[in-house]
Amino acid sequence: SLYGDRIVISGGEEEMNLKMALEKLNKHFSINVLLLEGGSEINGAFERAGFIDELSLVQSSLIADADSKPLFLDSVLVEYHLKEAKVVSENVLWLRYLKK
């Protein structure tokens, strides 16, 4: 549905159904590739559903604090292999991984 300048895609009434939401994005907007820039909870949900096939990580020389969350909350160990690594600047490394 359309709310002002926002488009809302519902993925379930009480619990998020990621497969349903992705199917609607494909059906209504022909979206086949999605860039996921979520927090640890939504990242973890997508990973547990098996919907992540590539990771693009930017690593910086910062120290996380006690309130920091993991990248993928409640996920299982999934193997990815390194496709590319680039030095972006003196303190930043960009890593691209593909799911095995």
Side-chain angles (χ1 to χ4, degrees):
S1 59
L2 189 59
Y3 291 96
D5 62 347
R6 290 189 228 169
I7 296 171
V8 178
I9 298 288
S10 174
E13 291 298 319
E14 297 193 20
E15 187 173 313
M16 174 57 90
N17 182 327
L18 293 175
K19 183 177 183 201
M20 180 191 307
L22 293 175
E23 286 171 351
K24 287 180 178 182
L25 287 171
N26 179 263
K27 177 182 175 184
H28 298 293
F29 303 104
S30 300
I31 294 174
N32 296 314
V33 176
L34 186 69
L35 171 63
L36 176 63
E37 293 184 324
S40 83
E41 291 183 30
I42 193 73
N43 289 350
F46 270 80
E47 179 54 48
R48 287 189 303 277
F51 293 142
I52 297 177
D53 59 0
E54 180 176 338
L55 298 177
S56 180
L57 304 174
V58 177
Q59 184 177 8
S60 180
S61 57
L62 297 175
I63 302 297
D65 62 15
D67 295 327
S68 295
K69 290 184 178 181
L71 189 59
F72 297 97
L73 185 66
D74 296 330
S75 290
V76 297
L77 182 62
V78 176
E79 287 191 47
Y80 289 82
H81 70 273
L82 184 63
K83 178 179 180 172
E84 183 178 15
K86 287 185 180 179
V87 175
V88 177
S89 71
E90 182 178 296
N91 298 332
V92 178
L93 181 63
W94 176 37
L95 306 168
R96 285 186 60 209
Y97 294 89
L98 296 178
K99 192 174 205 171
K100 286 190 174 182

